[in-house]
Amino acid sequence: MLLPNYAEARKRTKNNATKEFYNRNSEFCNLGLGKKYFVKTYGCQMNEHDTENIKAILDDLGFTETDNYTNADLVLLNTCSIRENAHNKAFGMLGRLKHIKQLNHNLIVGLCGCMAQEEVVIDEILKKYKWVDFIFGTHNIHRLPYILNDFLSVGKQRIEVYSREGNIVEGIPVKRENKFKAYVNIMYGCDKFCTYCIVPYTRGKQRSRIKDDIINEINDLIKNGYQEVTLLGQNVNAYGKDFSYDYNLENLLEDVAKTGIPRIRFMTSHPWDFTDGMLNVIKKYKNIMPSIHLPVQSGSSKILKLMGRRYTKEEYIKLFDKIKKIPNVSVSTDIIVGFPNETEDDFNETIDLVNYCKFDNAFTFIFSPRIGTPASKLEDLTTLEEKEKRLYTLNEIVNKYFLENNQKMIGKIVKVLVDGISDKKGMLCGYTETNKLINFIGDEALIGKIVEVQVTDAKTWSLDGKLI
Ligand code: 5AD
Ligand code: SF4
């Protein structure tokens, strides 16, 4: 049993990340023969992409996928720690699985992802969820075949979680959910240690993938007809800072643009590491989408300082203004309300900032104390009721701007990568270059293609259009 250890997870040394290769062991290729698996994913795109690796490994072990967990032989929860409700959802699902396991003793239940990296979660599982069969963390997805094999041969709960800075494992197989849009990791972990955030503990030290591995992956995607890549990292703007040589996101974006893939997105950006050079590259290449996700978290410099964000409200606005010079750019953000010590005045500063920036999209959250983070130890006198009120007020305002921004697009002709069939009957849907969802009538044969659509109507969260 290898349990998570927060003291170890927090450590950062100057050592560079080592690169390993996925070691496929053909001995295990029949491990899952005749068995069905179901993976439930919580949280961010990084987790979604990890699930794509996990599914490919399970397929390689002989399992087959099912989309119904009630008839699966193996259920794996790929969990998220970012806020308490993600925790609660995963524990709720474990509760449901307990009942199923009581009826079907052969059901294998596993847990992985960020929650597996948390000491408190594993303590609780050891006490109250002894029937969970195996657990692995974010650093050892590549060990899944060994962990499963050990569990299946010994039949005892198997926990293997590394709490270390982490390395980079290349060559893990991937079963992509989408046939024309792909996630490509460019880095792992985060060294920013914003005081509210659990990610630096659950995902380890920042480690950038080398250019050649990224470009080779993208070239393969192009060969297979992919139209869009999203370059993923917790803080992509810090890409390359861990290299001993000079190569950063500006350089990488340019090299990825030169591959000729039609659409490039990247997320998430931290304002601290955003350079003018990056902005110039985004302006220069038509295939880098003019859509920037730039979490602000708060509009109060006092709260930003307590959050350890390393910028003031004024600095954020200065960067925002520069970004807005990119033609037709859209900017989205993340905002936390109810951070400890946030007064009504601080909150009003957030509202002022929102009124200035008029974001195209915003993900808004109530602060959720995460055990082990500095912010969880701060005294917090604001009631939940007050925090909910602030969230409601904020949402009303951000929604108003989503609609206003969308209305400004009526009549414009936009390029859309057609995603699939819309929830709206008889329509297709897709995303504009600025990442806005648009519905329109068209032939299913257009799915996966980039088409031109004229915007005819605007809603808060989507546009309507007609094919040109
Ligand atoms: N409480 C609330 N929101 C959080 N986020 C990260 N940690 C917390 C927390 N403890 C939000 C931030 C981040 C987004 C991914 O999740 O806004 O940008
Ligand atoms: Fe968390 Fe993002 Fe801050 Fe890193 S930069 S600590 S992932 S909020």
Side-chain angles (χ1 to χ4, degrees):
M1 222 181 318
L2 201 55
L3 305 179
N5 177 323
Y6 256 29
E8 285 301 315
R10 206 177 290 130
K11 279 188 194 157
R12 293 294 186 269
T13 67
K14 293 217 178 313
N15 301 342
N16 276 344
T18 49
K19 183 165 130 177
E20 284 179 41
F21 288 92
Y22 179 69
N23 182 7
R24 180 178 185 270
N25 190 336
S26 53
E27 258 178 52
F28 299 144
C29 67
N30 290 331
L31 214 59
L33 226 54
K35 293 194 179 84
K36 291 193 280 269
Y37 73 84
F38 176 86
V39 185
K40 172 87 186 147
T41 313
Y42 301 87
C44 65
Q45 288 88 350
M46 192 70 78
N47 254 20
E48 282 176 28
H49 190 39
D50 286 347
T51 290
E52 294 183 328
N53 290 133
I54 289 166
K55 286 183 175 177
I57 294 176
L58 291 173
D59 284 348
D60 194 37
L61 298 178
F63 288 90
T64 47
E65 188 173 356
T66 168
D67 56 7
N68 178 359
Y69 70 88
T70 60
N71 73 15
D73 304 287
L74 165 69
V75 177
L76 178 58
L77 308 186
N78 187 7
T79 59
C80 166
S81 304
I82 200 92
R83 281 171 296 275
E84 196 179 343
N85 61 352
H87 257 227
N88 295 345
K89 279 189 206 157
F91 275 117
M93 183 70 178
L94 279 182
R96 262 168 273 149
L97 291 172
K98 185 177 179 185
H99 289 296
I100 301 179
K101 207 169 155 106
Q102 278 161 349
L103 302 172
N104 169 13
H105 294 292
N106 294 326
L107 173 67
I108 307 167
V109 176
L111 185 141
C112 64
C114 286
M115 278 171 67
Q117 298 289 144
E118 287 187 78
E119 284 177 358
V120 277
V121 169
I122 299 302
D123 280 350
E124 191 162 346
I125 288 187
L126 286 172
K127 279 192 209 119
K128 297 193 202 143
Y129 299 81
K130 289 199 180 74
W131 50 271
V132 172
D133 298 307
F134 69 99
I135 298 177
F136 59 98
T138 56
H139 297 301
N140 58 343
I141 290 173
H142 61 293
R143 292 270 310 152
L144 174 56
Y146 295 86
I147 295 167
L148 256 179
N149 182 57
D150 283 355
F151 167 71
L152 289 171
S153 44
V154 182
K156 263 189 20 211
Q157 189 182 54
R158 182 92 179 82
I159 303 181
E160 185 180 302
V161 179
Y162 306 161
S163 291
R164 58 186 196 197
E165 293 177 325
N167 44 8
I168 293 179
V169 188
E170 290 294 342
I172 303 183
V174 53
K175 181 180 185 182
R176 298 195 183 272
E177 286 296 317
N178 193 299
K179 297 284 168 269
F180 45 89
K181 296 202 297 195
Y183 292 129
V184 174
N185 277 327
I186 63 167
M187 61 194 294
Y188 304 92
C190 180
D191 288 345
K192 282 284 179 287
F193 286 98
C194 299
T195 58
Y196 51 82
C197 186
I198 193 117
V199 168
Y201 309 85
T202 60
R203 293 267 168 185
K205 174 172 157 154
Q206 161 169 336
R207 292 99 71 202
S208 304
R209 278 180 85 195
I210 59 168
K211 169 193 151 185
D212 287 352
D213 290 333
I214 298 170
I215 298 293
N216 289 343
E217 184 175 343
I218 294 174
N219 281 332
D220 273 351
L221 289 165
I222 295 173
K223 268 189 228 138
N224 287 303
Y226 277 80
Q227 301 284 320
E228 181 177 302
V229 287
T230 301
L231 310 179
L232 285 184
Q234 306 296 346
N235 170 14
V236 288
N237 295 57
Y239 171 82
K241 288 201 164 185
D242 48 317
F243 291 152
S244 52
Y245 48 93
D246 240 6
Y247 189 78
N248 55 30
L249 186 68
E250 174 188 341
N251 309 125
L252 180 71
L253 278 176
E254 183 144 32
D255 285 329
V256 175
K258 286 180 184 160
T259 64
I261 184 120
R263 286 184 162 205
I264 301 156
R265 300 188 186 278
F266 54 96
M267 67 187 308
T268 293
S269 292
H270 187 297
W272 168 262
D273 298 304
F274 222 119
T275 64
D276 290 349
M278 289 173 200
L279 291 174
N280 291 335
V281 173
I282 298 166
K283 266 189 232 159
K284 183 169 163 195
Y285 290 93
K286 287 271 164 294
N287 54 348
I288 304 180
M289 295 298 98
S291 161
I292 313 276
H293 186 60
L294 193 72
V296 64
Q297 313 298 5
S298 169
S300 150
S301 295
K302 177 192 102 187
I303 296 296
L304 288 169
K305 190 149 196 244
L306 287 173
M307 288 177 164
R309 288 293 286 179
R310 307 168 193 223
Y311 55 84
T312 60
K313 168 188 180 177
E314 290 73 24
E315 284 162 340
Y316 182 91
I317 288 181
K318 204 166 148 203
L319 174 62
F320 176 88
D321 287 341
K322 276 197 221 167
I323 292 176
K324 279 302 232 187
K325 296 210 169 83
I326 300 172
N328 292 321
V329 74
S330 71
V331 182
S332 55
T333 201
D334 292 342
I335 299 171
I336 298 175
V337 299
F339 189 82
N341 291 306
E342 184 190 72
T343 61
E344 196 63 36
D345 283 349
D346 294 316
F347 175 66
N348 285 333
E349 284 199 66
T350 299
I351 298 293
D352 289 346
L353 180 124
V354 167
N355 282 327
Y356 181 84
C357 296
K358 304 181 171 62
F359 294 106
D360 291 277
N361 204 353
F363 301 90
T364 56
F365 313 103
I366 291 179
F367 167 70
S368 171
R370 311 313 302 136
I371 294 172
T373 62
S376 69
K377 299 185 189 99
L378 294 174
E379 192 182 19
D380 190 0
L381 299 175
T382 316
T383 61
L384 180 62
E385 195 188 353
E386 174 59 29
K387 291 183 183 193
E388 281 170 348
K389 214 173 94 200
R390 286 183 195 168
L391 184 69
Y392 181 84
T393 308
L394 175 64
N395 283 342
E396 291 282 289
I397 297 172
V398 291
N399 291 349
K400 182 183 91 174
Y401 290 118
F402 303 163
L403 180 62
E404 273 182 30
N405 289 332
N406 281 349
Q407 281 167 336
K408 284 187 197 139
M409 297 192 61
I410 295 177
K412 288 195 179 153
I413 293 171
V414 289
K415 287 203 172 81
V416 177
L417 172 56
V418 187
D419 241 13
I421 310 283
S422 162
D423 292 340
K424 283 186 159 184
K425 249 197 167 157
M427 290 185 132
L428 296 176
C429 64
Y431 284 86
T432 66
E433 296 197 325
T434 52
N435 213 19
K436 289 180 190 281
L437 177 66
I438 182 160
N439 297 300
F440 54 97
I441 293 174
D443 194 295
E444 280 181 37
L446 295 175
I447 294 173
K449 304 216 159 63
I450 294 173
V451 298
E452 290 202 325
V453 177
Q454 183 164 37
V455 181
T456 53
D457 199 8
K459 317 265 162 58
T460 304
W461 287 285
S462 67
L463 304 166
D464 284 339
K466 68 170 191 286
L467 205 59
I468 298 284

